Amino acid sequence: MTSVSKLRRHLPASALRLALLGSVMGIAAVAAAPAVSAQEIRVWSGYPELAPFYEHVAEGMKAQHPDLSVKVEAIALREHEKRLALGLTSGEAAEVIELGTSTATRYLENGLFNAAPDDIAAFVQDPANFNDFFRDSASYDGTVYGLPLFRGQSALYYNTEMFEAAGLTEPPTDMADYTKYAEALTQRDANGAPTVSGWSLRLSGGGQGIAEKFWINMFQYGESLVEQDAAGKWKADFANEQGRAALKQYLENVHTLKTVTIEMPADAEAFEREQTAMFIRESWVIGDIAAKAPDLSYATATLPRGSIVAPVSLWISGEGAEAEAAWAFAQAANEPDNLLWLLDNVGWLPNRSGLDYSAILKAKPALAAFVDYPDTYEFFSLPNIGPVEEILTRTAARLTEAFANPALASDDAAIDAVLVAMQDEINALLQREGLLAE
């Protein structure tokens, strides 16, 4: 069994679609949040764009909780993770903590998050509210600790005016097309140097992001960075034809075809400024474009095989009245009206089942690539294991070095050697933690 097949069992495309579009149930359990006495709580987030959402939730609670003061502190994700490492171990963390499951695992292993009260555990375990995948993402060793909130899920963004100018009428459907399209879309100066990249690849920046984005591309070739066996152990086994194809595509685009360079503007900011024609990213970019580049002509499309799904939940720390107020806030954040506000105004996809997205999709059709996909579409997630961040960071370091080496682009044996070294390092980390599969 691999990580992919395990996730398919938990999150088939049809099940996720049903979860997104099914009937709304269990609302009363969330709406009936208990009253709390005068209390101040803090909300720590790793996504600055989510600050308005949490403030919106707090504003909506005033009628039922007039004495509750909510302080939202949203900073960049990597800084947020550093803040958590210090805050949770010193007992100075916020009462409401937003965190992805893969990172939360280390704190769950050490008992640093509160177990959910019985009524909230029952709410999370109700299949009318969350499917098995999201229930499990907020649980540890069979006990519910968090309230699932939103997820990261990727799709292709492409500039429709640039596509039209290049004579492209449809988005790419396989990875070979991605390279062909990148060549057609790249704009160059008189000397042939690219001025607008055809395809913005993640070549630099935060380490984990580099490895995660490479994993997304490699997944389209049918391979994963780590896979789980039937015994629950993990192993890296990507030094093969699929892994080579994924890494070689990066190298060819950077060094041979020069459709993108390490120095060029990248990611959402570059797309919004029309400095790149297409890139792969999560749904939050739709809200960002609406705010920063409302006149941009663009569309979205599903990826050739499937996407990463990164579930994020709200976790609670503290005791007594603080913890009670924190759970009340987490419940309020999960009310359907607030979740629809989240999607409509911020762009992150809610995890809760039974939400009616029809009005939002009508106004923002770009969201369709994230909620309306083929039945064959597949999903994978980061493994919920302690060393996942070290694995991603070390992998990213090796990838960054490889991306900067033009000699690799035409040398399959050298690419294979990079993959073997990367694979061996991951397996050594898994062995150190007692997680390596045979």
Side-chain angles (χ1 to χ4, degrees):
M1 180 186 298
T2 68
S3 60
V4 174
S5 59
K6 181 181 180 183
L7 189 57
R8 285 180 194 152
R9 187 182 71 232
H10 290 299
L11 192 65
S14 57
L16 183 54
R17 181 180 294 107
L18 182 62
L20 295 169
L21 301 177
S23 63
V24 176
M25 298 180 67
I27 298 174
V30 169
V36 293
S37 57
Q39 186 66 58
E40 178 179 298
I41 60 171
R42 293 167 295 161
V43 179
W44 279 3
S45 167
Y47 300 89
E49 70 271 18
L50 276 165
F53 166 69
Y54 293 121
E55 290 163 355
H56 174 79
V57 172
E59 182 67 24
M61 294 180 70
K62 284 186 175 178
Q64 192 171 0
H65 306 285
D67 298 323
L68 177 63
S69 174
V70 179
K71 185 177 182 181
V72 179
E73 298 174 354
I75 60 176
L77 184 58
R78 301 309 166 212
E79 296 304 313
H80 173 57
E81 291 170 351
K82 293 176 184 174
R83 172 176 63 177
L84 279 178
L86 294 172
L88 282 170
T89 53
S90 65
E92 298 296 329
E95 291 73 29
V96 180
I97 296 169
E98 166 213 281
L99 196 61
T101 303
S102 59
T103 305
T105 301
R106 70 173 69 167
Y107 303 117
L108 292 167
E109 290 172 343
N110 290 282
L112 295 174
F113 289 137
N114 297 4
D118 290 345
D119 59 333
I120 292 178
F123 174 75
V124 174
Q125 291 170 332
D126 187 340
N129 297 324
F130 299 101
N131 65 26
D132 292 353
F133 174 73
F134 292 122
R135 178 203 63 200
D136 293 346
S137 73
S139 304
Y140 178 72
D141 201 19
T143 298
V144 175
Y145 282 83
L147 254 171
L149 186 60
F150 68 89
R151 67 183 184 275
Q153 183 180 314
S154 295
L156 174 71
Y157 289 79
Y158 61 98
N159 185 306
T160 51
E161 289 185 352
M162 292 183 187
F163 265 53
E164 184 177 355
L168 302 171
T169 57
E170 296 179 349
T173 57
D174 59 34
M175 295 311 286
D177 273 353
Y178 270 70
T179 293
K180 292 177 184 175
Y181 277 47
E183 286 188 86
L185 291 162
T186 301
Q187 298 175 30
R188 304 178 187 277
D189 63 18
N191 297 318
T195 55
V196 173
S197 63
W199 178 18
S200 178
L201 293 161
R202 180 66 71 86
L203 303 170
S204 61
Q208 291 188 38
I210 292 172
E212 218 175 273
K213 301 310 184 280
F214 176 75
W215 191 342
I216 292 171
N217 283 16
M218 189 164 64
F219 184 75
Q220 311 311 316
Y221 286 99
E223 193 52 82
S224 288
L225 205 62
V226 292
E227 297 181 331
Q228 190 175 29
D229 70 2
K233 301 288 188 178
W234 297 84
K235 191 171 187 178
D237 188 21
F238 52 75
N240 51 36
E241 183 179 350
Q242 291 75 27
R244 183 195 309 142
L247 182 52
K248 190 168 185 175
Q249 185 169 42
Y250 273 75
L251 294 165
E252 284 184 337
N253 273 278
V254 174
H255 298 295
T256 305
L257 304 173
K258 301 186 187 305
T259 64
V260 63
T261 69
I262 295 173
E263 296 79 18
M264 294 182 81
D267 213 71
E269 185 174 345
F271 187 71
E272 290 162 358
R273 294 181 177 180
E274 300 191 287
Q275 294 168 326
T276 188
M278 60 180 188
F279 79 128
I280 295 171
R281 209 64 161 99
E282 299 95 339
S283 57
W284 65 265
V285 176
I286 294 173
D288 205 57
I289 292 172
K292 299 177 181 176
D295 297 327
L296 185 70
S297 298
Y298 78 101
T300 59
T302 54
L303 303 180
R305 179 188 176 197
S307 171
I308 189 172
V309 170
V312 176
S313 298
L314 294 181
W315 313 89
I316 306 301
S317 70
E319 300 177 351
E322 287 184 339
E324 182 182 356
W327 283 116
F329 181 86
Q331 286 179 296
N334 238 290
E335 291 180 8
D337 285 350
N338 283 333
L339 294 174
L340 292 174
W341 192 98
L342 169 68
L343 180 65
D344 194 23
N345 292 277
V346 185
W348 285 105
L349 302 172
N351 292 339
R352 187 170 172 182
S353 305
L355 301 177
D356 182 1
Y357 296 140
S358 55
I360 297 175
L361 289 178
K362 186 176 181 180
K364 298 177 179 177
L367 281 167
F370 297 92
V371 297
D372 186 13
Y373 35 75
D375 289 338
T376 56
Y377 212 51
E378 300 174 17
F379 295 94
F380 72 96
S381 188
L382 299 181
N384 300 330
I385 54 177
V388 63
E389 291 179 2
E390 187 175 3
I391 288 173
L392 293 173
T393 300
R394 293 198 182 199
T395 298
R398 290 188 179 275
L399 286 171
T400 303
E401 185 177 351
F403 295 158
N405 184 357
L408 290 177
S410 58
D411 189 341
D412 285 0
I415 292 175
D416 290 347
V418 170
L419 294 170
V420 168
M422 194 157 57
Q423 175 181 283
D424 288 349
E425 184 171 34
I426 293 173
N427 286 333
L429 293 172
L430 292 169
Q431 186 171 37
R432 185 193 72 191
E433 301 293 329
L435 295 169
L436 181 64
E438 295 295 331

